[in-house]
Amino acid sequence: MLILRDTEQEIRRAAEIIKRGGLAAFPTETVYGLGADAFNARALARVFEVKGRPRFDPLIVHIASRSGLERVARLSVLSPARRALAEKCASAFWPGPLTLVLPKQPELPGLATAGLSTVAVRWPGHPAARTLIRLSAGAGKPGAVAAPSANPFGRLSPTRAEHVVEGLGEKIDCVIDGGPCPVGVESTVLDLASPRIAILRPGGVTREELETITGPIRPALDAGASGAEHGGQNAGEPDAAGPNAPGRLSPGTLKSHYAPLSPLVLHDEKEMAALPREQDGAYLFFSGKSRDAWAGRDRAGYGETGPDGDPAALVLSETGRVPEAAANLFEYLRRLDGPRPGRIHAEILPEEGLGAAINDRLRRAAEH
Ligand code: TXA
Ligand code: MG
């Protein structure tokens, strides 16, 4: 596998690989993606194979232009109101960590969407991702790069090129090394193709931010559970029959996901402070304050170095900043998991803003 630098010249090599049907991993602002030409069914089949991903779990198609969006999604079958909402979301959050589920263009291979009539589309903000998508365009057609996170299915998502090398290594053709991903959790998946809009996966764009554009969004689990609804978000029901059944979830939002190899146990701040120091335990704190509350009651366990130098007790953000915690989440879980501790104890964050996405990943990791 080639490791490429984040320069236009080297990104061009990755784009050539994609155009020839190969697989190129690349940085986005959220996590590293494993990219393939969204219109090449054989390349898509390889993506599922190297990740060990079930084929019922559809991919996100990455675009870098308006014409790219139109090549993969069919906005014209949405009602005018829903179409206007899609346009508003796109102009408010693209390029960025938001994925929109929209009606699919028939030409897009069914493998990209797991046979659904909808497609998940994202216009990423990371410059390397945008350059790659632009350069992978061919024959007068705008680039469309299908890319799941570049990790083996069910494992922690990669936020550095080294994680991709560790997880997929020789199974893929190249990775563009763009350093650590600044957001650190995957994009928010927003379903705009069903009668009632829903967040199928919390992520880099917060519910609060989305709701400034969409109005209140009901939790996905309840979505569609009852019949008629009033209120802004249903003003624009799609003309196309809703592809997802009522009460749906994103097909890929499996309960157990994003998992380290060691068992993970979740606690709130108070419970963390009261945990005994286990010999083979590992600890993931939200803030320095939480760590100190815990360390204060059991300093004896540390020996000379104290908790700061302890590789089995990590702090997502010393000052309790949630975006910093998100950026460190997957890397720190990997570090704690490395020596295969008996258990990893992790602190749940306040359920607001990006905290919702962090908690979602922690809960899925704890399901194993
Ligand atoms: O931040 C991200 O979104 C990253 C980077 C690489 O862009 N990608 C990513 O892809 O997280 P992946 O494959 O790990 O997650 C895609 C999610 C899955 O939960 C999948 O079920 C959902 O998007 N999805 C894809 N197509 C869908 C569709 N048509 N309807 C509903 N959910 C869909
Ligand atoms: Mg993934």
Side-chain angles (χ1 to χ4, degrees):
M1 178 187 45
L2 274 172
I3 298 177
L4 300 171
R5 279 175 302 136
D6 181 1
T7 62
E8 173 141 354
Q9 202 182 9
E10 301 227 340
I11 296 172
R12 192 176 292 281
R13 293 177 67 187
E16 290 304 325
I17 287 172
I18 287 183
K19 286 209 269 192
R20 286 199 306 268
L23 305 188
F26 61 98
T28 80
E29 67 274 41
T30 58
V31 301
Y32 275 73
L34 177 60
D37 177 356
F39 285 83
N40 182 330
R42 287 185 60 177
L44 296 174
R46 234 184 110 201
V47 168
F48 285 92
E49 196 184 300
V50 306
K51 273 186 65 92
R53 178 176 177 122
R55 291 209 181 181
F56 60 74
D57 189 356
L59 307 176
I60 294 175
V61 180
H62 296 69
I63 51 155
S65 64
R66 178 75 207 190
S67 53
L69 172 63
E70 272 149 25
R71 191 177 174 213
V72 301
R74 216 162 143 219
L75 293 170
S76 61
V77 301
L78 290 172
S79 68
R82 188 57 70 82
R83 192 178 168 160
L85 185 59
E87 301 283 358
K88 271 174 137 179
C89 289
S91 60
F93 302 109
W94 280 352
L98 177 67
T99 294
L100 297 178
V101 175
L102 296 166
K104 151 187 189 294
Q105 280 293 3
E107 294 75 30
L108 186 69
L111 208 47
T113 62
L116 295 174
S117 60
T118 53
V119 59
V121 196
R122 175 157 109 83
W123 185 331
H126 196 293
R130 293 163 71 175
T131 304
L132 177 71
I133 298 160
R134 181 169 52 81
L135 294 176
S136 65
K141 302 231 167 95
V145 174
S149 50
N151 53 296
F153 181 72
R155 302 253 76 96
L156 296 170
S157 296
T159 51
R160 296 169 185 227
E162 304 88 271
H163 302 164
V164 179
V165 175
E166 266 166 47
L168 299 175
E170 293 307 315
K171 292 182 180 160
I172 67 174
D173 300 304
C174 71
V175 57
I176 300 165
D177 186 353
C181 300
V183 176
V185 289
E186 296 87 343
S187 62
T188 304
V189 179
L190 178 67
D191 183 0
L192 292 181
S194 297
R196 189 182 303 158
I197 69 168
I199 294 175
L200 302 181
R201 177 179 73 183
V205 171
T206 66
R207 166 184 297 273
E208 294 86 342
E209 289 167 330
L210 271 178
E211 287 182 336
T212 63
I213 305 292
T214 60
I217 305 174
R218 300 249 314 255
L221 275 171
D222 301 335
S226 64
E229 252 274 302
H230 19 264
Q233 65 176 261
N234 290 321
E237 294 194 6
D239 302 335
N244 297 317
R248 75 211 175 273
L249 272 179
S250 192
T253 37
L254 305 174
K255 261 188 146 184
S256 155
H257 217 134
Y258 309 105
L261 295 171
S262 296
L264 187 86
V265 195
L266 306 181
H267 311 274
D268 66 20
E269 188 182 350
K270 253 186 151 159
E271 291 165 354
M272 278 307 269
L275 285 177
R277 181 87 167 88
E278 292 166 5
Q279 259 244 301
D280 65 343
Y283 302 83
L284 184 63
F285 296 95
F286 169 35
S287 66
K289 186 173 142 254
S290 311
R291 184 222 27 236
D292 293 346
W294 172 74
R297 53 177 297 288
D298 191 17
R299 279 191 195 285
Y302 292 104
E304 310 254 70
T305 51
D308 291 343
D310 185 348
L314 297 180
V315 175
L316 286 175
S317 169
E318 207 43 62
T319 52
R321 285 183 48 250
V322 180
E324 186 183 12
N328 288 329
L329 178 69
F330 287 126
E331 163 70 13
Y332 283 16
L333 279 172
R334 274 168 199 271
R335 281 195 208 163
L336 292 176
D337 196 34
R340 300 285 176 268
R343 285 196 290 184
I344 302 173
H345 299 279
E347 180 178 344
I348 283 286
L349 272 67
E351 194 77 26
E352 310 155 3
L354 271 181
I358 297 174
N359 290 345
D360 171 79
R361 306 307 186 268
L362 286 173
R363 289 193 188 103
R364 285 179 210 285
E367 283 288 333
H368 257 231

